[in-house]
């Protein structure tokens, strides 16, 4: 089983739609969680950290469920510019970062 | 606003050739990392460094070497290039304070990547 698993997609959605991605992790001792965004042929960039109580940043909401070992990212009112690959990142004990393979989002007009 | 700078951006190597991928950061970050990303896959850690003079292996270190003589620079060396090393290579850096590591603060800043083909 992979340490961090994501649905690769692609998720094809119209502008204005709400879309959600899930990410599961296998190591229950994982301590910190992030979502990174990667545009085509570009480097990953931090989108947002994921906090235990859940957190929101504009149209983006991140949730953590430690009992079920998954994190989620919700994007409301999708824009064309949201089209990208979204990488789930988990930090395990010892400051080891593990990246998921990413979920592709395509927002169409 | 340089951040993390990688060179070259693209390179084609023949099997058995060697090369060095350069990475430099101007943010005074103590941690630096090298990742590779194969098509449709997540990033895999090759090597990392927690400070000048200290390096350690990541998940996929075979076929690579690194050095960290200064805080700013973290070059990655391929000694005998193989087709399996065809990939996109990303260098990253982050700052972590000493003592209890604030893991939630381990935000990584990436270079633009080096696309390497070994033929």
């Amino acid at each position: 089983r992979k340490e961090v698993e994501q649905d690769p997609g692609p998720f094809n959605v119209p502008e204005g739609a709400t879309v959600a991605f899930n990410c599961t992790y296998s190591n229950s001792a994982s301590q910190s969680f992030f979502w990174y965004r990667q545009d085509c042929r570009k480097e990953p960039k931090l989108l947002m950290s994921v906090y235990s109580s859940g957190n929101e940043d504009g149209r983006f909401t991140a949730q953590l469920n430690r009992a079920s070992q998954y994190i989620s990212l919700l994007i409301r009112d999708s824009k064309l510019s949201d089209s990208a690959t979204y990488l789930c990142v988990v930090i395990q004990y010892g400051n080891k970062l593990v990246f998921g393979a990413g979920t592709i989002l395509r927002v169409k007009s | 606003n340089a951040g993390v700078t990688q060179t070259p951006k693209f390179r084609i190597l023949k099997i058995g050739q060697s090369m060095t991928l350069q990475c430099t950061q101007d943010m005074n970050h103590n941690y630096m990392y090298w990742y590779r990303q194969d098509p449709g896959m997540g990033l895999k850690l090759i090597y990392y460094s927690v400070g000048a003079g200290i390096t350690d292996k990541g998940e996929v270190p075979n076929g690579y070497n690194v050095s960290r003589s200064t805080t700013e620079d973290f070059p990655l060396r391929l000694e005998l290039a193989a087709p399996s090393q065809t990939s996109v290579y990303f260098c990253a850096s982050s700052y972590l304070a000493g003592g209890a590591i604030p893991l939630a603060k381990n935000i990584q800043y990436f270079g633009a990547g080096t696309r390497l083909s070994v033929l």
Side-chain angles (χ1 to χ4, degrees), chain A residues 1 15-17 31 35 40 45 50 57 67 73 96-97 107:
Chain A
R1 182 184 172 188
E15 274 187 292
Q31 299 183 301
W35 285 102
C40 187
K45 291 183 180 177
V50 185
D57 183 1
L73 177 68
K96 175 188 173 187
L97 271 77
V107 182

Side-chain angles (χ1 to χ4, degrees), chain A residues 9-91:
Chain A
F11 285 63
N12 295 302
V13 302
E15 274 187 292
T18 295
V19 62
F21 310 135
N22 282 338
C23 165
T24 58
Y25 59 94
S26 60
N27 190 331
S28 60
S30 298
Q31 299 183 301
S32 297
F33 310 89
F34 302 88
W35 285 102
Y36 276 71
R37 170 192 169 129
Q38 186 173 25
D39 293 309
C40 187
R41 302 178 73 79
K42 299 283 190 182
E43 72 273 22
K45 291 183 180 177
L46 179 69
L47 178 66
M48 59 196 302
S49 303
V50 185
Y51 301 120
S52 297
S53 55
N55 49 298
E56 192 173 301
D57 183 1
R59 298 181 292 109
F60 298 84
T61 300
Q63 298 273 358
L64 167 64
N65 185 321
R66 284 192 184 271
S68 301
Q69 294 180 208
Y70 78 82
I71 67 174
S72 64
L73 177 68
L74 180 79
I75 305 175
R76 291 183 299 277
D77 188 22
S78 299
K79 313 289 185 193
L80 292 175
S81 57
D82 292 335
S83 297
T85 298
Y86 291 83
L87 304 173
C88 172
V89 181
V90 172
I91 299 184

Side-chain angles (χ1 to χ4, degrees), chain A residues 2-3 31-32 34 36 38 40-46 49 51 87 91-95 97 99-102, chain B residues 10 31 33 35 37 40-43 45 59 90 96 101 103-113 115:
Chain A
K2 291 182 182 176
E3 292 183 271
Q31 299 183 301
S32 297
F34 302 88
Y36 276 71
Q38 186 173 25
C40 187
R41 302 178 73 79
K42 299 283 190 182
E43 72 273 22
K45 291 183 180 177
L46 179 69
S49 303
Y51 301 120
L87 304 173
I91 299 184
Q92 298 175 350
Y93 182 81
N95 202 29
L97 271 77
F99 284 78
Chain B
F10 306 94
Y31 278 64
Y33 314 80
Y35 295 92
Q37 185 177 33
M41 306 291 285
L43 280 76
L45 183 65
E59 186 182 354
F90 289 104
L96 292 170
I101 298 174
L103 297 177
K105 299 291 186 186
N106 190 0
I107 297 168
Q108 304 211 334
Y109 296 85
F110 285 82
R115 282 173 173 71

Side-chain angles (χ1 to χ4, degrees), chain B residues 47-93:
Chain B
Y47 270 95
Y48 70 100
S49 168
V50 304
I54 306 169
T55 62
D56 210 343
K57 295 178 181 178
E59 186 182 354
V60 289
N62 291 343
Y64 307 94
N65 277 301
V66 294
S67 59
R68 184 98 182 267
S69 56
T70 66
T71 299
E72 296 79 17
D73 300 308
F74 191 41
L76 178 72
R77 179 88 178 154
L78 283 71
E79 290 294 350
L80 289 169
S84 61
Q85 294 178 304
T86 294
S87 189
V88 180
Y89 291 83
F90 289 104
C91 178
S93 72

